[in-house]
Amino acid sequence: MQHTGEISQPAVMRRRILIGGDWVEAASGEAFPVENPAKRAIIATVPRGTAVDVELAVRSASDAFPAWSAVAPRERGRMLLQVADAMEARLEEVARLIALETGNALRTQARAEARISADIFRYFGGLGGELKGATIPLGDSVLSYTRREPLGVVGAIIPWNAPVLLAALKIAPALCAGNTMVLKTAEDAPLAVLLMAEICQQFLPAGVLNVLTGFGVECGAPLLNHPAIAKLSFTGSTAVGKIVMEAASQRIVPVSLELGGKSPSIVFPDANEDWVVEGIVAAMRFTRQSQSCTAGSRLFLHRSVFDSFLDKLTAKVSTLRIGDPLAEDTDVGTIINERQFNRVCGYIESGLAEPDAKLVAGGLPPTDGPLSEGYFVQPTIFAHTSNDWRLSREEIFGPVLVAIPWTDEADVIRMANDTHYGLAAYLWTHDIGKALRTAHQVQAGWVQINQGTGQSPGQSYGGYKQSGLGREFSLEAMLDSFTQLKNVTVNLTR
Ligand code: ADP
């Protein structure tokens, strides 16, 4: 593993939250620090939001709702298109802030995240005219039709792993559909989302978008439980997803959940090739330290190619440059924080202690030298004979891949499905019939064949089983998640 040069640190920034179009401190006046995980150094402080701030933000969003929902949908879309243009003009600034606070490498991750986030605003900004209803053919004497109406104030909570993208994915469709929003950022990565909120606020009426910073229990929970919230949209862990759903059940509020994953990558014997190796590295999201719900973290390699494929994969992984997220030659950045770093190291220790597991790449992080300054964990691969041990079952949310051999197709599909998650799957073979038959049997919301890329606007993305409820990224997702259907029936004979 190589490491790259260092970049100087900016001074500590002070940021505020957005309530009713104003940039304010928390009502308590308290703030908390945001860390650069590559240096373990404080780079900013942000307001420590609590129930009082939630109350103010929800009130602003409620007050803004009647006027915003009355704006013609394409006009709302036009404002989102202006946000897209303004984001594109500031891509580098957004990207550098993402890299600084998340530890995701600027070149391989943060720029792409900033770009796709702007594109999300562009995509949904064009969909205002698609909020259509239908007419129901009940005969000439009756006019029966449906309207897509917004729900009201959306409460959104996001995690830190792709903060700007995940915020854009909630803001753009919810607002296009005529809702207003209170969004709580993740405690570890609020800065770039606040910058995006600043860009949004240049074009949106006051109160349409409110953005809070704060901790889960102090700020997230009051948002989940606020009686004026009409819809909850959450991305994060399955454990917190259950809390969100419980809160929603108290008031029968619709809920969208995008949760964890333990996604399989299945390599068939004919796919023992270099491009597949590159695809596996991409699918595992090694250049995002695998802090991704769609990481293909269970690698099922056909027994006939197991050793030779793993040799190629470990050679490829060893060329990834790990180091300062802001340096242009860095491929792999850092884990988000100390807690996650210790958790990931705990999994690696558990792998090293497992008699049937063999470490084939990476391992525990160095305890001295430049990489010990931050939460750097090298891409790590274990080979094991079973899908049943802890590292094959639990979502690690770090760069630890488990390779498992298979021989029988029915058996590998059974192993792939033997998980309570069902977010993504990756299949690698030139035999398209076999690939499609397998794709139809894998229990996952998103199956990719011969590629391991990220999501694109237009696809309906979301999980099976405990990976979530509802879809994001598409027109259908906007209609299902952020509107409610009203039927109007008119007797034409009176
Ligand atoms: P991670 O820590 O892996 O990002 P979490 O699911 O814990 O995943 O956090 C995702 C988001 O959920 C964060 O914004 C966090 O503050 C919020 N959160 C955590 N616990 C709660 C809770 N009890 N109620 C509401 N929000 C919460």
Side-chain angles (χ1 to χ4, degrees):
M1 196 58 45
Q2 307 157 41
H3 69 85
T4 54
E6 297 175 11
I7 297 256
S8 63
Q9 202 63 66
V12 174
M13 301 175 259
R14 178 75 200 229
R15 290 288 180 263
R16 293 176 169 194
I17 48 182
L18 177 61
I19 299 181
D22 295 323
W23 292 94
V24 296
E25 298 290 347
S28 69
E30 285 189 43
F32 66 96
V34 181
E35 195 185 34
N36 169 2
K39 304 279 183 201
R40 305 182 196 224
I42 294 171
I43 48 170
T45 61
V46 294
R48 183 169 170 171
T50 63
V52 183
D53 307 287
V54 168
E55 178 62 35
L56 294 170
V58 173
R59 207 177 296 156
S60 297
S62 300
D63 290 348
F65 177 70
W68 179 247
S69 57
V71 173
R74 290 197 63 204
E75 176 60 20
R76 292 194 298 258
R78 201 182 58 77
M79 294 181 218
L80 299 177
L81 293 173
Q82 288 176 310
V83 172
D85 287 343
M87 287 260 301
E88 271 159 13
R90 296 176 75 177
L91 275 192
E92 188 63 14
E93 199 184 338
V94 175
R96 293 187 83 81
L97 209 44
I98 294 172
L100 191 65
E101 65 180 332
T102 63
N104 289 341
L106 181 64
R107 194 191 88 252
T108 58
Q109 294 302 315
R111 282 201 188 105
E113 184 182 338
R115 205 174 311 117
I116 188 178
S117 303
D119 201 29
I120 292 289
F121 277 92
R122 189 166 302 292
Y123 172 76
F124 285 106
L127 291 182
E130 297 304 319
L131 291 153
K132 296 169 184 166
T135 53
I136 297 96
L138 297 184
D140 285 348
S141 58
V142 176
L143 170 63
S144 185
Y145 65 97
T146 58
R147 283 163 56 82
R148 290 271 174 194
E149 296 187 351
L151 291 143
V153 181
V154 175
I157 297 184
I158 55 166
W160 43 260
N161 61 328
V164 173
L165 168 61
L166 297 174
L169 265 183
K170 306 220 182 289
I171 298 168
L175 269 49
C176 179
N179 305 279
T180 58
M181 175 172 279
V182 177
L183 177 130
K184 190 193 89 64
T185 57
E187 36 280 70
D188 291 295
L191 303 178
V193 176
L194 288 173
L195 175 56
M196 181 165 72
E198 195 185 308
I199 295 170
C200 290
Q201 197 48 51
Q202 291 169 11
F203 306 100
L204 297 173
V208 168
L209 174 66
N210 304 271
V211 179
L212 303 177
T213 53
F215 296 105
V217 172
E218 273 178 15
C219 186
L223 183 58
L224 297 181
N225 294 299
H226 197 289
I229 293 290
K231 157 89 194 185
L232 290 170
S233 181
F234 173 77
T235 302
S237 62
T238 296
V240 177
K242 291 177 184 176
I243 296 173
V244 176
M245 208 161 167
E246 266 175 41
S249 76
Q250 296 307 309
R251 307 191 314 282
I252 319 293
V253 167
V255 57
S256 300
L257 303 172
E258 204 272 272
L259 308 174
K262 190 73 187 176
S263 299
S265 236
I266 304 177
V267 177
F268 288 80
D270 68 311
N272 187 15
E273 296 174 8
D274 289 345
W275 65 271
V276 181
V277 169
E278 299 207 351
I280 295 294
V281 170
M284 179 53 186
R285 319 287 191 231
F286 267 139
T287 57
R288 189 142 46 100
Q289 304 73 256
S290 308
Q291 298 175 124
S292 162
C293 4
T294 53
S297 52
R298 290 182 298 147
L299 175 59
F300 293 103
L301 290 173
H302 192 269
R303 193 175 291 280
S304 65
V305 299
F306 192 83
D307 291 333
S308 60
F309 192 94
L310 265 189
D311 286 348
K312 285 201 275 280
L313 182 61
T314 50
K316 174 73 197 165
V317 161
S318 70
T319 65
L320 297 173
R321 290 177 73 86
I322 182 165
D324 191 315
L326 288 167
E328 289 294 338
D329 55 355
T330 293
D331 298 307
V332 179
T334 69
I335 297 291
I336 186 75
N337 60 27
E338 188 168 19
R339 184 173 56 88
Q340 287 297 114
F341 176 79
N342 290 338
R343 209 175 146 259
V344 173
C345 292
Y347 278 107
I348 297 174
E349 276 162 7
S350 151
L352 293 171
E354 162 77 24
D356 293 332
K358 185 177 158 223
L359 179 73
V360 293
L364 285 168
T367 50
D368 53 18
L371 291 185
S372 66
E373 279 176 26
Y375 306 117
F376 293 98
V377 178
Q378 315 156 63
T380 295
I381 305 173
F382 285 101
H384 199 288
T385 50
S386 156
N387 183 43
D388 290 330
W389 67 311
R390 186 169 165 241
L391 270 65
S392 306
R393 303 208 70 83
E394 295 177 14
E395 185 181 41
I396 298 174
F397 227 65
V400 183
L401 177 67
V402 178
I404 301 160
W406 64 276
T407 42
D408 176 68
E409 260 176 61
D411 200 38
V412 74
I413 292 168
R414 182 193 58 73
M415 288 194 286
N417 288 338
D418 183 16
T419 165
H420 59 275
Y421 291 118
L423 194 52
Y426 306 87
L427 309 176
W428 309 89
T429 175
H430 294 282
D431 184 337
I432 195 65
K434 188 178 286 185
L436 291 178
R437 282 195 308 275
T438 309
H440 299 169
Q441 290 178 64
V442 169
Q443 295 160 353
W446 182 24
V447 181
Q448 292 192 75
I449 298 170
N450 295 335
Q451 65 168 29
T453 59
Q455 299 88 332
S456 308
Q459 81 174 89
S460 284
Y461 167 72
Y464 279 23
K465 302 195 270 188
Q466 289 189 30
S467 286
L469 269 183
R471 296 291 178 264
E472 294 191 299
F473 268 102
S474 66
L475 168 63
E476 295 80 3
M478 174 177 81
L479 298 177
D480 290 347
S481 298
F482 294 115
T483 71
Q484 52 193 341
L485 207 54
K486 177 182 283 176
N487 183 269
V488 180
T489 305
V490 190
N491 179 344
L492 298 179
T493 67
R494 302 287 154 196

